[in-house]
Amino acid sequence: MAQIIAKDVFSAVKKCLYSNGKEIHHKKPGNIHTVSAKSLNNGILLDTEHEACHSGLKKKGMDCHFILVINGEPVHKHTCGEGECGIDPGVSTVAAVSNDKCFLEVLASGAEKYNKDIVECQKAMERSRRVNNPECYNKDRTVKKGSRFKKTKKYKKLLRRFRTLHRKAGNLQYLRFAPHG
């Protein structure tokens, strides 16, 4: 995570020094939602069959390292098969055909339960924003150019819920196709 944040900070400084950037903007509390790595293979996924036998923090100078020791067999990488394969990725499905197999898989099959909640949350956010910022809208209900919206406590609560729903829906797809042992 430190590498990602350092990359973002360096690009912001570079933009201010050598490009058209005017100032560096800081992240507000609550805007960093995930701990990410430079590649998807660096993440930690624990199954119920694995159990952590030791964990701790080790501080070395200004750096802090998290140590996690897990019982069980190490995760093995997937091996490639033989022959040719055709893959057709779609918006909600993926199909694959080879000489001896073919399949059609629905992507994020459990995400439908979140879609209704996401739409309801978006509608509630829009109603809240319109009620509390009538000066930001024209007579034809379009947004005035250059308007700054006031974000009430209710709107911020709805925004947190909206982000959580999107994160949960996205996690369904990631966890489904993440490499397992």
Side-chain angles (χ1 to χ4, degrees):
M1 176 154 175
Q3 189 177 13
I4 302 262
I5 294 172
K7 183 184 72 117
D8 292 343
V9 169
F10 181 72
S11 66
V13 170
K14 194 165 70 172
K15 192 179 279 187
C16 283
L17 292 176
Y18 305 115
S19 188
N20 60 351
K22 293 182 177 59
E23 62 184 59
I24 297 174
H25 301 281
H26 301 282
K27 290 279 186 187
K28 295 177 184 170
N31 279 358
I32 300 175
H33 302 292
T34 59
V35 175
S36 61
K38 292 289 270 187
S39 95
L40 289 176
N41 296 333
N42 292 342
I44 298 173
L45 292 174
L46 292 178
D47 297 1
T48 55
E49 63 194 44
H50 294 103
E51 129 183 11
C53 62
H54 174 72
S55 65
L57 289 173
K58 182 178 180 183
K59 189 165 180 167
K60 191 174 186 181
M62 294 297 288
D63 295 334
C64 190
H65 301 277
F66 178 70
I67 299 168
L68 180 65
V69 180
I70 300 171
N71 288 336
E73 293 291 317
V75 177
H76 299 288
K77 293 191 176 188
H78 296 283
T79 58
C80 295
E82 298 289 325
E84 294 181 2
C85 176
I87 300 173
D88 180 22
V91 176
S92 60
T93 59
V94 63
V97 179
S98 69
N99 290 337
D100 50 338
K101 286 187 180 180
C102 71
F103 75 89
L104 177 70
E105 190 76 31
V106 177
L107 300 175
S109 59
E112 298 91 22
K113 66 181 180 181
Y114 292 110
N115 290 344
K116 183 179 176 187
D117 292 339
I118 288 171
V119 169
E120 287 176 5
C121 191
Q122 283 177 319
K123 287 179 182 178
M125 287 167 58
E126 181 65 19
R127 282 192 306 268
S128 174
R129 195 170 55 200
R130 285 187 183 274
V131 167
N132 293 303
N133 299 288
E135 69 281 356
C136 297
Y137 293 94
N138 295 321
K139 296 284 186 197
D140 60 350
R141 298 176 50 88
T142 58
V143 178
K144 289 182 181 176
K145 190 171 182 168
S147 299
R148 304 262 320 176
F149 293 106
K150 291 179 279 190
K151 293 181 180 173
T152 61
K153 286 182 183 178
K154 180 181 178 181
Y155 182 84
K156 289 177 185 176
K157 183 178 177 183
L158 288 167
L159 184 61
R160 281 193 304 273
R161 183 166 185 265
F162 176 73
R163 287 176 176 167
T164 301
L165 290 169
H166 263 288
R167 178 183 51 79
K168 286 181 178 180
N171 282 347
L172 284 176
Q173 185 171 354
Y174 172 74
L175 292 174
R176 182 180 172 97
F177 292 104
H180 292 4

